């Protein structure tokens, strides 16, 4: 609409608010305004009224598998569009980069509480990849939350000044500067939090600005903030607050000083949402869920892997998971170079006693890594694209004295190389190194243009002249600074370079640092990230043992992310389903203090209940599953040791059916592709492995659960039950060939083959009884579902199933591994046994008595 129309609307808005619609229209027409313009003003006013009502009255829609109030940006938003403009200026393409960021940040905001709710205390976790743009994601989440009415934004930006300053600068650039009148700041670029005199000036009703506070996770700083917020409590009742915890596994979990202070800050805020961001969430997933702590009880989500990102699996490969063909699992790029064990003591003192007087030896592998770095920098200058900085990381120890000891030998190596550029022997060695590396990893495989050694020679003098040797640690004054022109640097460091801080243009790493835990190891990998314009050139020198650890870690990450995806695709949440973390014989998952509440989790599917929630509605797909179910029941009738028929209850149990019929059924039955937990190949492989290693799951109980009041469904001669009623969820973007019924299997059904009264048993008690009665027997339950399945009148977010054919649902219950069986893949997880959740009685969906 034109500026003139906007001005007219603003002029007459009061009139529209003051009179009934018909009277307001008459008065507008009296001003001589044409009917078309009047209609436009009325339409604009109605849209604005609806929008304001939506903000004031929280409502829910279904997004994925969750109810939400937020489904995406509005046209009138200010903060999010400003970020989009900045990203486009930086060269971000709309597809897939900006769209993916939009989708992933919308997902996170949709899991927060509506800012108009009277009170809330949300705890969530967002899992990204190392150096993958987590800061951009949480900045986008903050922008969208601000556009919807969140007021106070506290960002816990790691434990080092460098990361806090870097984060403050990013947030000011992307949030504050595009809309300066909308923001107030409690911290500055070089100023951490200091108490302000007048809280009313920030939180009083007269101040409509958003408030930004970026602080280190430092006890002194957080204590000042906690005390100031407590004094400001009179102004915080209507102050929706979003707390972003960057690097949420660092200092937040199980610390005697930082953890209580974060909780204290949250206690001062009647409306607070805490969202942790990390690429190594192992500690966060092991917090005691029943304690008043920061376990992500409300949500855990994965950020999508960005296109072109170098991650653990890409570089190191991983091991095949259950059900995967090892031949189909990528081994990673050929970019890892081996450091012999004998070289380690040349670059790192063996004990603390050896630190004093230590000076590293420039071994053949270290020399090759440094010389290759100079060649890479020259090649990138020739290409002239991508990041203007070029960095090499040497990480052998956390000790600052060891870092400093590298200065003299590296400086000598650089100066000698500069003097040798006319030496045919030196140039021959460099040519051999370059030719060998470019042959092993051809530039063309990454869409890059190859560079010959002869092209590099003219660039090498300038590279060596500009190359700085920097000791970047907590005691050094000469630090990495990418804000004052292109940098070429060999950086030697430890913890200050190991987390959060981006090493711009990192192309070569020399890494022998020994670690003891997954999260520490993963965060040391500063080589993860984006390599635009030089994707073929990165190399990492490390020991074979470390490379094996990273390969194991890539496997852990893949399994962990698969578990997390269950939250968004299955009827689970962090208080009903604990993410499992595969263990390693030589590495802890995280620090011992952070694992004190962890418990041994089931091996793979052991001790789990698996059920189908998603279905296609087309007849061909459904008929295939009906055929598979009838084949299974016919085989069960013929091969079961005992049949228990309870047609009045709509139940049959076929006991001790050989496993071949179950795996045969799973091979024929088609699970919906959106459900990662229901992978037939994985389940079949797991059953076979349990049989081979411990002899369990060789026999199965096959059950049919129907509704006695439903229309008849015949499985086999003499075997028929009434059809169940399962209405579909109302989805925001409905697909006629997709239905989500959310819940198939009741707790009662999971105990259908157990002896005794199980009606009042909790989930864990049912599994305990199964372990006592049927420790080696699996349970497979078949559900015939009526193709119409009308919802009850009280089910407002449900619609008729309306499938083209009747639907077959499947539930599987696996006994806990015991004895020799427990050696199959060990995992740990959070202990959910003390969590109390009121469970709905889903039997009421079928009209059964409660």
């Amino acid at each position: 609409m034109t500026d003139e129309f906007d001005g007219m609307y603003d002029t007459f808005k009061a009139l529209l608010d003051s009179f009934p619609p018909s009277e307001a229209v008459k008065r507008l027409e009296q001003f001589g305004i044409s009917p078309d313009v009047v209609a436009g003003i009325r339409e604009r006013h109605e849209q604005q009224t609806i929008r304001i009502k939506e903000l004031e009255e929280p409502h829910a829609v279904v997004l994925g598998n969750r109810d939400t109030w937020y489904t995406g940006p509005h046209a009138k938003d200010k903060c999010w569009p400003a970020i989009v403009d900045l990203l486009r200026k930086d060269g971000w393409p709309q597809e897939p980069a900006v769209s993916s960021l939009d989708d992933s940040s919308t997902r996170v905001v949709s899991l927060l509480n509506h800012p108009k709710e009277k009170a809330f205390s949300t705890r969530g976790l967002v899992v990204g990849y190392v150096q993958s743009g987590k800061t951009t994601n949480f900045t986008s989440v903050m922008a969208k939350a601000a556009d919807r009415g969140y007021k106070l934004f506290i960002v816990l930006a790691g434990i080092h000044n460098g990361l806090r300053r870097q984060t403050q600068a990013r947030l000011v650039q992307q949030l504050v500067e595009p809309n300066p009148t909308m923001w107030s700041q409690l911290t500055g670029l070089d100023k951490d939090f200091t108490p302000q005199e007048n809280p009313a000036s920030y939180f009083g009703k007269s101040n409509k600005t958003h408030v930004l506070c970026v602080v280190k996770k430092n006890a002194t700083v957080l204590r000042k903030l906690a005390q100031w917020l407590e004094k400001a409590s009179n102004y915080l009742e209507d102050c929706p607050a979003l707390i972003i915890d960057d690097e949420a596994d660092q200092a937040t979990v199980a610390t005697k000083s930082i953890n209580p202070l974060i909780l204290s800050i949250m206690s001062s805020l009647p409306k607070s949402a805490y969202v942790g961001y990390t690429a190594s969430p192992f500690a966060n997933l092991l917090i005691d869920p029943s304690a008043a702590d920061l376990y992500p009880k409300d949500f855990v989500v994965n950020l999508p892997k960005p296109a072109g990102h170098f991650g653990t699996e890409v570089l190191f490969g991983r091991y095949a998971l259950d059900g995967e063909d090892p031949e189909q699992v990528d081994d990673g790029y050929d970019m890892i170079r081996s450091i012999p064990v004998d070289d380690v003591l040349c670059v790192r003192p063996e004990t603390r006693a050896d630190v004093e007087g230590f000076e590293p030896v420039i071994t053949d592998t270290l020399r090759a890594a440094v010389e290759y770095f100079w060649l890479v920098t020259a090649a990138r200058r020739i290409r002239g694209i991508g990041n203007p900085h070029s960095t090499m990381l040497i990480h052998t120890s956390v000790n600052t004295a060891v870092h400093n000891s590298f200065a003299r030998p590296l400086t000598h190596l650089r100066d000698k190389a500069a003097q040798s550029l006319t030496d045919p022997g030196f140039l021959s060695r460099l040519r051999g190194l370059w030719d060998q590396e470019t042959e092993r990893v051809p530039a063309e495989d990454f869409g890059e243009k190859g560079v010959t050694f002869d092209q590099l020679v003219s660039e090498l003098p300038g590279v060596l002249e500009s190359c700085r040797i920097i000791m970047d640690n907590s005691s050094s004054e000469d630090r990495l600074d990418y804000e004052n022109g292109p940098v070429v640097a060999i950086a030697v460091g430890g913890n200050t370079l190991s987390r959060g801080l981006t090493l711009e243009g990192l192309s070569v790493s020399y890494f022998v640092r020994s670690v003891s835990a997954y999260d520490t190891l993963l965060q040391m990998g500063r080589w993860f990230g984006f390599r635009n314009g030089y994707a073929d050139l990165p190399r990492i020198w490390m020991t074979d043992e470390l490379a094996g650890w990273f390969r194991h870690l890539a496997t852990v990450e893949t399994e962990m992310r698969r578990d997390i995806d269950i939250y968004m695709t299955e009827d689970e949440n962090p208080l009903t389903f604990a993410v499992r973390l595969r263990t390693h014989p030589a590495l802890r998952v995280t620090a011992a203090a952070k694992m004190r509440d962890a418990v041994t989790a089931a091996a793979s599917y052991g001790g789990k209940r698996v059920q189908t929630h998603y279905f296609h509605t087309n007849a061909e797909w459904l008929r295939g599953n009906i055929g598979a179910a009838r084949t299974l029941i016919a085989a069960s009738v013929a091969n079961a040791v005992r049949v228990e028929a309870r047609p009045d209850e709509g139940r049959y149990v076929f006991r001790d059916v050989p496993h071949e019929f179950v795996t045969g059924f799973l091979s024929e039955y088609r699970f919906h592709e959106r459900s990662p937990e229901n992978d037939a190949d994985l389940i079949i492989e797991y059953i076979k492995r349990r049989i081979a290693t411990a002899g369990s799951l060789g026999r199965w109980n096959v059950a049919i659960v129907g509704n006695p009041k439903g229309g008849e469904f015949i499985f086999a001669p003499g075997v028929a039950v009434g059809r169940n009623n399962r209405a579909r969820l109302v989805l925001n973007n409905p697909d006629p060939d997709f239905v989500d019924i959310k819940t198939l299997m009741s707790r009662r059904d999971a105990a259908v083959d157990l002896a005794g009264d199980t009606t009042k048993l909790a989930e864990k008690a049912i599994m305990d009884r199964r372990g006592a009665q049927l420790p080696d027997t699996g349970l497979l339950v078949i559900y015939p579902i009526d193709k119409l399945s009308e919802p009850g009148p009280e089910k407002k977010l449900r619609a008729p199933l309306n499938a083209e054919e009747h639907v077959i649902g499947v539930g599987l219950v696996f006994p806990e591994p015991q004895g020799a069986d427990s050696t199959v893949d060990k995992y740990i997880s959070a202990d959910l046994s003390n969590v109390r959740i009121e469970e709905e009685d889903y039997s009421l969906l079928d009209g059964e008595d409660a």
Side-chain angles (χ1 to χ4, degrees):
M1 293 184 180
T2 65
D3 292 340
E4 180 183 359
F5 186 93
D6 287 341
M8 192 178 297
Y9 169 72
D10 292 338
T11 300
F12 292 109
K13 181 178 183 299
L15 186 150
L16 290 164
D17 285 334
S18 302
F19 295 94
S22 58
E23 179 66 20
V25 170
K26 289 180 182 179
R27 290 174 179 266
L28 284 170
E29 290 174 343
Q30 289 173 1
F31 283 100
I33 302 171
S34 71
D36 289 343
V37 174
V38 170
I41 292 173
R42 285 184 63 190
E43 182 180 356
R44 165 71 75 83
H45 186 259
E46 288 170 2
Q47 291 173 349
Q48 285 292 93
T49 303
I50 291 170
R51 180 172 180 268
I52 292 168
K53 186 176 181 182
E54 286 178 345
L55 288 174
E56 292 178 346
E57 299 179 10
H59 67 287
V61 297
V62 175
L63 184 68
N65 199 41
R66 295 290 183 270
D67 293 344
T68 183
W69 57 276
Y70 183 86
T71 56
H74 286 174
K76 288 294 186 180
D77 291 345
K78 298 292 186 184
C79 297
W80 164 247
I83 289 179
V84 173
D85 289 343
L86 288 171
L87 295 176
R88 285 176 177 161
K89 289 177 183 177
D90 286 342
W92 281 50
Q94 179 63 34
E95 298 294 343
V98 175
S99 293
S100 177
L101 176 64
D102 188 10
D103 291 343
S104 60
S105 55
T106 288
R107 170 188 272 193
V108 177
V109 178
S110 75
L111 296 168
L112 303 179
N113 293 73
H114 195 292
K116 292 292 185 181
E117 291 182 24
K118 290 184 179 180
F120 53 85
S121 181
T122 304
R123 286 161 170 75
L125 182 67
V126 179
V127 180
Y129 294 81
V130 174
Q131 300 285 294
S132 67
K134 294 189 298 300
T135 303
T136 302
N137 186 274
F138 71 65
T139 303
S140 302
V141 168
M142 292 168 67
K144 291 180 176 181
D147 284 331
R148 285 299 177 277
Y150 274 77
K151 182 174 181 64
L152 173 60
F153 296 86
I154 299 172
V155 180
L156 308 175
I159 64 175
H160 296 294
N161 284 321
L163 181 56
R164 195 212 71 82
R165 187 174 186 275
Q166 187 182 73
T167 304
Q168 177 87 37
R170 283 277 297 275
L171 293 174
V172 168
Q173 177 199 18
Q174 297 188 330
L175 290 177
V176 179
E177 290 178 353
N179 294 289
T181 61
M182 295 176 61
W183 291 90
S184 301
Q185 298 183 65
L186 294 175
T187 54
L189 197 61
D190 295 308
K191 182 188 73 170
D192 211 327
F193 177 78
T194 53
Q196 310 296 306
E197 289 296 327
N198 184 12
S201 65
Y202 292 95
F203 304 117
K205 291 184 178 181
S206 61
N207 189 337
K208 303 299 183 183
T209 64
H210 308 294
V211 181
L212 177 64
C213 181
V214 184
V215 295
K216 292 192 305 293
K217 282 186 271 191
N218 171 278
T220 302
V221 174
L222 293 180
R223 190 173 295 111
K224 291 178 183 177
L225 178 59
Q227 292 170 350
W228 186 72
L229 286 173
E230 187 176 357
K231 292 178 181 178
S233 59
N234 292 338
Y235 306 99
L236 298 176
E237 286 187 5
D238 194 27
C239 179
L242 176 59
I243 300 172
I244 298 291
D245 188 352
D246 192 15
E247 306 299 335
D249 62 302
Q250 184 187 37
T252 295
V253 183
T255 52
K256 294 181 180 180
S257 56
I258 305 301
N259 181 272
L261 287 169
I262 295 174
L263 294 171
S264 175
I265 289 169
M266 293 182 66
S267 69
S268 297
L269 299 166
K271 299 181 177 184
S272 68
Y274 166 92
V275 182
Y277 272 75
T278 181
S280 46
F282 312 112
N284 307 83
L285 294 170
L286 298 176
I287 296 171
D288 182 1
S290 64
D293 208 327
L294 294 172
Y295 179 76
K297 62 181 179 63
D298 296 294
F299 64 86
V300 184
V301 295
N302 286 322
L303 291 182
K305 181 181 176 183
H309 180 264
F310 277 55
T312 326
E313 183 176 342
V314 167
L315 285 167
F316 296 94
R318 64 170 171 81
Y319 302 107
L321 304 180
D322 289 347
E324 289 185 323
D325 180 355
E327 297 298 322
Q328 302 300 316
V329 178
D330 196 350
D331 289 332
Y333 295 152
D334 185 15
M335 295 180 176
I336 314 302
R337 302 292 173 260
S338 179
I339 299 176
V341 175
D342 292 345
D343 281 12
V344 174
L345 293 182
C346 296
V347 295
R348 185 185 72 205
E350 185 173 12
T351 67
R352 289 186 180 180
D354 299 324
V355 169
E356 187 176 352
F358 175 81
E359 183 169 298
V361 175
I362 302 296
T363 63
D364 290 343
T365 54
L366 180 55
R367 181 190 304 275
V370 172
E371 291 176 349
Y372 178 73
F373 168 67
W374 291 328
L375 295 170
V376 165
T377 305
R380 292 181 58 203
R381 288 186 173 184
I382 291 170
R383 286 180 178 170
I385 58 175
N387 194 313
H389 308 292
S390 186
T391 309
M392 175 180 178
L393 169 64
I394 296 178
H395 193 117
T396 69
S397 170
V398 293
N399 192 289
T400 57
V402 175
H403 304 160
N404 297 335
S405 70
F406 275 85
R408 196 192 68 80
L410 286 175
T411 301
H412 176 72
L413 182 65
R414 179 197 61 193
D415 294 346
K416 185 176 180 182
Q419 296 168 7
S420 302
L421 288 175
T422 56
D423 180 355
F426 178 68
L427 293 176
S428 177
R429 185 170 80 242
L430 294 184
R431 180 187 294 273
L433 175 61
W434 183 250
D435 290 346
Q436 180 186 42
E437 289 297 335
T438 53
E439 183 179 350
R440 289 179 67 173
V441 186
E444 295 74 18
D445 289 356
F446 293 82
E448 303 291 351
K449 186 177 180 180
V451 178
T452 67
F453 179 76
D454 291 334
Q455 291 176 282
L456 299 179
V457 173
S458 61
E459 293 288 345
L460 285 175
V463 168
L464 289 165
E465 183 179 358
S466 59
C467 180
R468 297 166 57 205
I469 312 297
I470 297 178
M471 312 299 122
D472 195 309
N473 54 49
S474 57
S475 64
S476 61
E477 295 183 3
D478 188 18
R479 308 291 287 271
L480 281 168
D481 179 7
Y482 297 107
E483 297 178 7
N484 297 301
V487 169
V488 178
I490 298 174
V492 185
N495 288 339
T496 59
L497 299 180
S498 69
R499 182 184 283 270
L501 198 66
T502 299
L503 297 179
E504 299 285 353
L506 180 64
S507 50
V508 178
S509 299
Y510 191 90
F511 184 82
V512 298
R513 164 85 183 279
S514 62
V515 296
S516 60
Y518 291 176
D519 39 20
T520 308
L521 183 67
L522 188 57
Q523 291 292 346
M524 294 297 170
R526 294 291 93 191
W527 46 79
F528 301 128
F530 301 95
R531 303 291 177 258
N532 298 327
Y534 62 108
D536 56 317
L537 299 178
R539 299 291 186 273
I540 306 165
W541 271 260
M542 62 172 43
T543 63
D544 293 341
E545 179 184 52
L546 276 169
W549 287 1
F550 274 105
R551 194 173 303 113
H552 170 82
L553 191 53
T555 311
V556 173
E557 280 191 282
T558 302
E559 284 189 313
M560 174 188 70
R561 292 176 193 279
R562 179 191 288 177
D563 270 8
I564 291 172
D565 282 342
I566 289 172
Y567 293 136
M568 297 306 293
T569 58
E570 302 289 342
D571 187 29
E572 300 284 2
N573 62 64
L575 293 179
T576 62
F577 177 82
V579 174
R580 304 160 308 131
L581 302 170
R582 183 188 292 230
T583 61
H584 187 279
L587 291 168
R588 290 196 302 264
V589 171
T590 186
K594 300 176 183 179
M595 293 173 57
R596 63 190 179 197
D597 297 313
V599 295
T600 300
S604 203
Y605 289 99
K608 289 184 65 178
R609 179 168 49 144
V610 178
Q611 55 185 310
T612 49
H613 305 288
Y614 302 154
F615 304 95
H616 286 287
T617 59
N618 71 82
E620 181 181 357
W621 192 85
L622 294 170
R623 285 172 188 153
N625 285 351
I626 290 172
R630 284 176 170 157
T631 299
L632 171 65
I633 298 306
S636 299
V637 170
N639 294 278
V641 172
R642 187 169 84 254
V643 178
E644 297 174 4
R646 291 178 265 166
D648 292 342
E649 300 176 24
R651 281 163 161 71
Y652 283 81
V653 178
F654 305 90
R655 293 191 177 273
D656 293 318
V657 176
H659 75 274
E660 290 89 351
F661 298 106
V662 171
T663 55
F665 165 75
L666 293 172
S667 298
E668 294 295 323
Y669 182 90
R670 295 174 67 184
F671 293 95
H672 195 282
E673 57 273 14
R674 285 199 197 179
S675 183
E677 190 179 32
N678 298 334
D679 187 313
D681 292 336
L682 291 178
I683 296 171
I684 291 168
E685 179 64 23
Y686 177 71
I687 292 170
K688 290 180 178 178
R689 197 147 48 90
R690 286 272 296 260
I691 293 169
T693 56
S696 64
L697 298 184
R699 291 274 172 174
W700 283 70
N701 292 338
V702 176
I704 301 173
V705 170
N707 175 13
K709 298 179 181 180
E712 186 179 69
F713 188 95
I714 300 172
F715 283 95
V719 181
V721 297
R723 297 189 295 272
N724 298 293
N725 192 78
R726 293 291 188 272
R728 70 162 80 196
L729 282 175
V730 176
L731 301 178
N732 203 35
N733 297 300
D735 175 356
D737 190 38
F738 170 76
V739 293
D740 176 5
I741 66 170
K742 198 164 186 178
T743 300
L744 172 74
M745 193 177 199
S746 73
R747 189 173 54 206
R748 175 191 175 194
D749 298 344
V752 67
D753 59 337
L754 298 180
D757 182 7
T758 61
T759 56
K760 297 182 180 180
L761 292 182
E763 179 88 14
K764 186 176 186 303
I766 288 175
M767 296 310 298
D768 289 343
R769 184 173 293 191
R770 181 168 297 281
Q773 293 183 9
L774 300 168
D776 299 321
T777 305
L779 171 65
L780 188 152
V781 185
I782 300 294
Y783 295 81
I785 301 171
D786 188 86
K787 64 182 179 181
L788 297 180
S789 289
E790 293 279 352
E794 75 285 356
K795 300 293 182 180
K796 295 182 179 180
L797 290 178
R798 298 273 179 166
L801 192 65
N802 282 344
E804 294 178 359
E805 186 51 85
H806 297 313
V807 178
I808 298 295
V810 175
L812 296 122
V813 183
F814 294 89
E816 292 274 5
Q818 298 183 12
D821 206 6
S822 63
T823 62
V824 182
D825 289 347
K826 290 189 177 179
Y827 297 78
I828 62 171
S829 74
D831 183 1
L832 302 182
S833 62
N834 293 320
V835 175
R836 295 289 177 262
I837 298 176
E838 184 176 352
E839 181 175 306
E840 290 185 50
D841 185 354
Y842 292 103
S843 65
L844 296 178
L845 290 173
D846 292 332
E848 298 174 4
D849 293 332

